[in-house]
Amino acid sequence: MIWQLDLLILTLIILCAFAAIKLKDMLSAVIIFGAYSFLLCLIWVEMGAVDVGFTEAAVGAGVSTVLFIAAVYRTTRTIAPPGPGRNFLKIIGFLSSVALGVVLLFAVGDFPDWANPNSPASLHVSPYYILNTIKDTSVPNIVTSVLADYRGFDTMFETTVIFAAGIAVIAILRRKIHKTDNNNSQAVETGQTETGTNIIIQTICRQMVPFMQLFALYVIAHGHHSPGGGFQGGVILGASFILLALSYDLQKMLKRMSEKWNIILANIGVLIYVGIGTLCVFLGANFLDYSILHKILPATSPIEARSHGMLGIEIGVGIAVMAIMITIYTNIASEGKHDKGL
Amino acid sequence: MIEIFSIILMLTGFFFFCVTTIGILRFPDFYSRMHAAGKGDTFSSIFMLLGLVLINMQHLSIGTLLVSMKIVFILVFIFLASPTATNAIIDAGFESGVMPWTKEEKVENKEV
């Protein structure tokens, strides 16, 4: 904890936030927003929340920037100048946000001091997690055990939310093109790729993809012992495919990971999570109570079974997140036509 | 002894970071700015990370050795990714028709 450094980063974050709102050019605003996410990630790491920082770096600064750029590229780059009727709405918006800000500022006085041991947040469940995680689950990384075991329901529905987001993107954007249009678009695509190729970028990206995927698998499988887990690993796995689509074109990526397989994998990922929970019910325990799994896993005690159950659901989350990230990217970058990317 | 080495490495990295920043601010056009950013950034990151590797190995054990190896992996990654990203940006600038700065052009501008 160095408070001078915190103050500096916090000032930069606020500057970035204002710049991102004020800029008229959407592409610059997206880049500023990426910088904002990255600074926020630094703050999280400074405060000791390494898992949150990792997620912010992978999702906020990494994939969501690419998704925003794809959306800006496919829509318009500049904001339309405000019409005459907009001022009234602007004043209402300004007044309501100022009122909300004042109310929130009043609430700040009731907050406990930072790291106060007597605050409600650190009196009830937090000490239990800190003291008993190793005893209960034999998982050294407390964050993973809270996320995947103690609060497994929460994480299950977070995964479902991501799944629903992917389905919504498909439902809104996806459209089939007719056979006759298909030939035309393919001709356009080959013309595009010839001007857009760059052998340096393609070679380096192609060499980098397997290492990224290896690192993602490490993050998923090692989430019990070090920062990381299903969400981060899944996002990095998805990013490796998006990198392939960006450096070559969309077709090359879709050959390796077709739309059909993406949807199937997203379903499989969520099903693994819910399936492990239901398996626990069938074996005679509560939903998502992994300790009962020691009956079917050979040579494990109930405590180790909880650790293995967590690994199982992390794999499910990783598969689902990866497939959904690729689906969202392909649909936004090609306006749902899946013919050519950016 | 290791401390002194790592401090020297980090100061070298810091110097090149400063040079990079001055280059980005002072160079006249897009291409020369990207040249400063790409080269200086990669070079200074390498020195900074080497300094971190050394200072991390002060108390040699399996744990610190592992962390140092991870930093070296990051170093290799930056060495590959940063110049490639610079190349991609310059390529995009060239394709969208950004003209490089030349002396003659500057003279013409002055006359106008």
Side-chain angles (χ1 to χ4, degrees), chain A residues 156-228:
Chain A
M156 189 177 87
F157 283 104
E158 272 168 31
T159 317
T160 321
V161 164
I162 292 177
F163 181 72
I167 297 298
V169 166
I170 293 175
I172 294 169
L173 288 176
R174 182 82 181 104
R175 54 185 162 168
K176 296 263 190 268
I177 32 177
H178 298 294
K179 280 271 162 64
T180 45
D181 289 354
N182 208 354
N183 292 333
N184 284 337
S185 65
Q186 223 141 42
V188 173
E189 176 219 320
T190 44
Q192 279 266 321
T193 43
E194 269 167 18
T195 54
T197 48
N198 183 333
I199 194 158
I200 297 173
I201 299 167
Q202 289 186 349
T203 311
I204 292 290
C205 290
R206 201 179 62 226
Q207 305 292 337
M208 225 175 253
V209 163
F211 291 101
M212 280 174 74
Q213 289 173 347
L214 192 67
F215 178 64
L217 294 180
Y218 164 79
V219 167
I220 294 178
H222 211 255
H224 301 60
H225 298 269
S226 60

Side-chain angles (χ1 to χ4, degrees), chain A residues 55-340:
Chain A
T55 316
E56 185 71 44
V59 181
V63 170
S64 75
T65 308
V66 176
L67 294 182
F68 277 136
I69 289 176
V72 169
Y73 188 83
R74 283 295 169 198
T75 52
T76 55
R77 207 178 143 168
T78 47
I79 304 170
R86 294 258 182 92
N87 268 339
F88 179 64
L89 284 177
K90 259 190 182 171
I91 291 168
I92 289 184
F94 179 73
L95 285 181
S96 59
S97 40
V98 164
L100 185 69
V102 168
V103 172
L104 285 177
L105 275 180
F106 271 118
V108 164
D110 295 336
F111 277 166
D113 285 337
W114 199 11
N116 179 3
N118 293 320
S119 68
S122 42
L123 273 183
H124 302 289
V125 284
S126 303
Y128 177 83
Y129 294 149
I130 292 165
L131 289 175
N132 296 316
T133 296
I134 288 278
K135 235 189 297 172
D136 282 354
T137 63
S138 78
V139 168
N141 186 2
I142 301 174
V143 179
T144 304
S145 70
V146 171
L147 200 81
D149 190 317
Y150 292 116
R151 298 187 164 222
F153 264 117
D154 230 357
T155 314
M156 189 177 87
F157 283 104
E158 272 168 31
T159 317
T160 321
V161 164
I162 292 177
F163 181 72
I167 297 298
V169 166
I170 293 175
I172 294 169
L173 288 176
R174 182 82 181 104
R175 54 185 162 168
K176 296 263 190 268
I177 32 177
H178 298 294
K179 280 271 162 64
T180 45
D181 289 354
N182 208 354
N183 292 333
N184 284 337
S185 65
Q186 223 141 42
V188 173
E189 176 219 320
T190 44
Q192 279 266 321
T193 43
E194 269 167 18
T195 54
T197 48
N198 183 333
I199 194 158
I200 297 173
I201 299 167
Q202 289 186 349
T203 311
I204 292 290
C205 290
R206 201 179 62 226
Q207 305 292 337
M208 225 175 253
V209 163
F211 291 101
M212 280 174 74
Q213 289 173 347
L214 192 67
F215 178 64
L217 294 180
Y218 164 79
V219 167
I220 294 178
H222 211 255
H224 301 60
H225 298 269
S226 60
F231 283 102
Q232 294 94 325
V235 167
I236 297 172
L237 259 184
S240 71
F241 283 100
I242 293 175
L243 181 69
L244 204 63
L246 279 174
S247 59
Y248 287 82
D249 56 354
L250 203 58
Q251 292 302 325
K252 193 173 172 76
M253 192 266 279
L254 284 176
K255 248 177 234 159
R256 280 153 183 74
M257 192 60 131
S258 68
E259 189 198 6
K260 194 174 117 195
W261 268 105
N262 262 325
I263 297 173
I264 291 173
L265 279 178
N267 283 295
I268 285 177
V270 179
L271 270 180
I272 285 176
Y273 202 138
V274 183
I276 287 177
T278 319
L279 195 63
C280 300
V281 175
F282 279 128
L283 289 170
N286 285 330
F287 190 63
L288 292 172
D289 183 3
Y290 315 124
S291 56
I292 200 74
L293 290 175
H294 76 274
K295 282 187 182 169
I296 51 169
L297 293 171
T300 45
S301 62
I303 293 172
E304 280 170 358
R306 281 178 88 162
S307 161
H308 293 322
M310 271 183 239
L311 179 62
I313 65 150
E314 296 274 23
I315 291 171
V317 171
I319 291 174
V321 170
M322 174 199 74
I324 291 301
M325 285 301 153
I326 299 171
T327 307
I328 293 178
Y329 172 76
T330 37
N331 278 312
I332 291 181
S334 66
E335 292 176 323
K337 281 183 286 200
H338 288 213
D339 49 355
K340 56 183 162 51

Side-chain angles (χ1 to χ4, degrees), chain B residues 44-60:
Chain B
S44 48
S45 304
I46 286 169
F47 276 111
M48 280 282 184
L49 289 175
L50 276 180
L52 287 179
V53 166
L54 273 188
I55 210 160
N56 190 48
M57 300 238 281
Q58 255 179 332
H59 311 286
L60 204 62

